[in-house]
Amino acid sequence: MHTIRSVTVIGAGTMGNGIAHVFAQHGFTVTLVDINAASLARALQTIEKNADRQLNKGTITPEIKAQLFRQLSTSTNLPEAVQNADLVIEAATENKAVKLDIFRQLDDAAPSTAILATNTSSISITAIASATRRPGKVIGMHFMNPVPVMRLVEIINGYSTEKEVTEQIVKLSEALDKTPCIVNDYPGFIANRILMPMLNEAIYSLYEGVAGVTGIDTVMKLGMAHPMGPLQLADFIGLDVCLSILRVLHEGFGNPKYAPCPLLVNMVAAGKLGAKTGEGFYIYSKDSRSPAPSPSFAG
Ligand code: NAI
């Protein structure tokens, strides 16, 4: 089995910067790649801010923070950045065509022994693996947001993933202080197959006027001990992301129970995508959040 020391992360957005952070913090040599140099600059700022937060909380030492930045470099040249990689983790935009293109490039440029992982939330690992000549070495490594804080890694076996590759990714996740959970490659895997219908049902409850935004979130927070209500969580994930995952579930299973609520479809069409656009089920200002008024919402 090839030891994993050098890791390349593709995509420096929300998830990519967190994944690079966690690997570098644990002593791996990490190259973070993006097509957009501005994304890389933003990612480094985010990593610095999050490392300072860890430092203030006492979860890392100043030496670990220094190591993190020593181990980390950035690049906009994908073929060069993967040529010595033992593991590549793709965390680029959730778009099948984009991912297939990246995996073709990775297959050409990365060593034949390298494991190619994807952080996709919903795209078939088997389909992504089929873009390569090494489907046995392709696997899903689904981290949760925010990556430095959340313990779970959902590991997804594609149809052809080799047993040794899964075992190695399980050990690696444990070395990152994460808890791995192995699942098979069916739409939504486990996390989103269960989470998204719950969020969709919360949106339907609002759409049908069963309760308002605050009421729905309060019932789930206080009644089910969820740290965040489902509407706030949907805003945090991004309503466009929720909609695209529901569409994968709906199409993948052909079952109407996964049909996205028309209110969600409308909000995405209106550009109300949640926290990232400043408005979703809530309106976000710098330090506060209040339920968004809308004719579609119950009082
Ligand atoms: P994001 O939109 O924040 O970042 C995506 C980054 O990929 C951007 O910086 C973009 O410039 C870059 N990119 C696009 N095409 C590229 C290419 N060809 N080569 C290199 N870089 C490229 O997206 P986010 O939220 O970080 O999501 C990334 C992946 O992680 C997606 O597959 C998503 O489904 C998954 N995911 C997202 C979670 C979340 O809460 N945001 C949670 C778990 C998984």
Side-chain angles (χ1 to χ4, degrees), residues 13-15 34-35 39 91-94 99 119 121 142-143 145:
T14 311
M15 296 304 288
D34 206 287
I35 35 170
S39 292
T93 313
E94 185 76 346
K99 292 199 192 283
N119 186 53
S121 306
H142 184 204
F143 290 85
N145 184 20

